[in-house]
Amino acid sequence: MAVEKTTKPKASTEDFTGDVNANDKIPTRKELDKVADLPVLDPDGKPHTFKSLYTPSNKNERSRTLIIFIRHFFCGNCQEYLRSLCSSLPPSTLSALDPPAKILVVGCGQPNLIPMYVRETECTYPIYADPSKQLYARLGMTRTLSLGNKSPEYMQYSLPSAVVRAIYQGLRAGRDAFKGGDYFQVGGEFLFEDVDDGNGEAAVSWCHRMKNTRDHAEVPEIRRRLGLDGARPPLRKTFTSGIRRSSSQLKRNLSDRRRSWGGSVSRSRDRADKSSPEGSMMEKVKEVTREEEDEKTNGAALTNHKEATLSTLGNVPGAAQ
């Protein structure tokens, strides 16, 4: 049987500008049935069916599952999204909702990179991998390298900082840097919950497909979809703010050291000057000069004292005799 070869399209300038034509049409039951048994891999590479992610273990239990499809595992934009989302919606908050909710993450890279991704993002949600990208394709997610025209609210790092961090992670990953996933692939968000359609299984009640590489649904939108307020995620201590604080502290330390070093050098020079032959001679000259100045001062004072005494005597009757 002939094997059809597939080639990845080369990047062009058009790939980096504008939004792709993606819609937020909810997948039908028939479309979900086609992807229900597709595999996703856990960090150990063990396969699980896609439907196992959103199907409750107890059929009588009402629950909701938000599945977030991210880009490749080195995407700084998606990493920032998960940092903001985790800070705003920790698992404890999700489990306390009525009905309870949970968030899962699916990436398009190899599963052995999931532990690295968890360390970098401090993600508190379970993460799976779909390196085949079949779920992405069949659920209508597209491919682009466009950044879009607007910086999202969830980005608390600057774009250059996110790029630098992604490059650094890739360098540290070594050969695994090429296993992060398709750089063109973008993802989206799909909310599964119980739907009264007579099927008895969870279905998608809301979804959002990314139109560019920074087009994840904003955190306030996710909160509203889960029945919470539309509060923005709290500000986090970012890498750049840490650099700014460290830089300011370093400048203060250097300034203190310069002052301390300058004082030490001045005192050392004084001691060195006094201990050298030239220094001793200069000290003697200074001493003689001070003595001469003292004699002049004392002499002037004595002269003034004599003149004052004579003047006094001249005013006393009989003192001139």
Side-chain angles (χ1 to χ4, degrees):
M1 185 176 70
V3 178
E4 182 180 353
K5 294 183 179 180
T6 59
T7 58
K8 294 183 179 180
K10 295 182 179 180
S12 65
T13 55
E14 295 180 355
D15 293 316
F16 297 89
T17 59
D19 292 340
V20 294
N21 185 19
N23 61 66
D24 296 337
K25 181 182 177 181
I26 294 176
T28 64
R29 170 61 61 186
K30 185 177 181 180
E31 291 171 334
L32 288 179
D33 288 342
K34 290 181 178 180
V35 300
D37 292 324
L38 290 178
V40 290
L41 308 177
D42 63 20
D44 296 323
K46 181 181 177 181
H48 304 263
T49 60
F50 179 58
K51 67 179 179 182
S52 69
L53 301 187
Y54 57 83
T55 302
S57 55
N58 185 353
K59 291 186 177 181
N60 297 323
E61 177 185 354
R62 294 177 60 242
S63 64
R64 294 173 293 172
T65 303
L66 177 66
I67 300 181
I68 299 173
F69 289 86
I70 60 173
R71 299 181 64 232
H72 58 89
F73 283 129
F74 296 109
C75 175
N77 302 328
C78 292
Q79 291 182 8
E80 265 295 88
Y81 182 62
L82 288 181
R83 292 187 189 101
S84 295
L85 200 61
C86 288
S87 66
S88 180
L89 289 170
S92 57
T93 298
L94 297 172
S95 61
L97 296 175
D98 185 24
K102 62 181 178 179
I103 295 178
L104 304 176
V105 180
V106 177
C108 63
Q110 294 297 325
N112 63 304
L113 286 174
I114 293 177
M116 177 279 299
Y117 198 79
V118 172
R119 287 194 305 270
E120 294 294 338
T121 61
E122 298 182 353
C123 183
T124 52
Y125 312 136
I127 302 179
Y128 298 87
D130 174 27
S132 69
K133 300 183 298 179
Q134 292 188 67
L135 287 172
Y136 288 82
R138 297 192 184 187
L139 290 176
M141 287 168 276
T142 58
R143 303 174 73 249
T144 181
L145 287 177
S146 170
L147 290 171
N149 299 321
K150 181 182 176 182
S151 178
E153 293 181 0
Y154 62 78
M155 290 288 293
Q156 294 188 23
Y157 285 109
S158 66
L159 181 59
S161 176
V163 172
V164 170
R165 288 171 65 91
I167 293 174
Y168 177 64
Q169 292 169 16
L171 292 174
R172 285 199 306 172
R175 294 182 178 179
D176 286 342
F178 301 99
K179 300 179 180 179
D182 183 359
Y183 278 58
F184 282 82
Q185 185 67 61
V186 294
E189 298 79 38
F190 293 78
L191 180 60
F192 290 81
E193 58 184 319
D194 298 329
V195 178
D196 188 14
D197 61 354
N199 191 281
E201 296 182 359
V204 177
S205 61
W206 169 83
C207 72
H208 168 260
R209 296 177 180 87
M210 297 172 66
K211 297 177 177 63
N212 57 65
T213 59
R214 299 186 295 177
D215 190 38
H216 278 292
E218 291 284 5
V219 175
E221 173 70 11
I222 298 296
R223 292 180 62 90
R224 284 191 291 267
R225 293 292 175 178
L226 294 176
L228 295 167
D229 57 38
R232 295 181 179 181
L235 291 175
R236 297 175 280 103
K237 293 182 178 180
T238 62
F239 178 70
T240 51
S241 64
I243 288 179
R244 286 194 294 270
R245 288 193 298 271
S246 300
S247 177
S248 299
Q249 184 62 40
L250 179 60
K251 288 180 180 178
R252 288 194 295 270
N253 292 342
L254 289 176
S255 179
D256 293 341
R257 289 183 181 181
R258 280 196 295 268
R259 287 196 294 267
S260 176
W261 179 79
S264 300
V265 169
S266 178
R267 291 190 294 271
S268 299
R269 285 177 177 174
D270 290 342
R271 289 194 294 269
D273 290 343
K274 292 179 181 180
S275 61
S276 64
E278 295 83 357
S280 299
M281 181 63 69
M282 289 299 298
E283 284 297 315
K284 290 180 181 180
V285 171
K286 290 179 181 179
E287 184 177 353
V288 171
T289 303
R290 283 195 299 269
E291 290 176 355
E292 290 177 351
E293 290 177 353
D294 291 342
E295 288 178 358
K296 291 179 181 179
T297 302
N298 293 335
L302 181 59
T303 301
N304 292 336
H305 177 67
K306 289 179 180 180
E307 291 177 353
T309 302
L310 291 174
S311 176
T312 303
L313 291 174
N315 294 330
V316 177
Q321 297 177 354

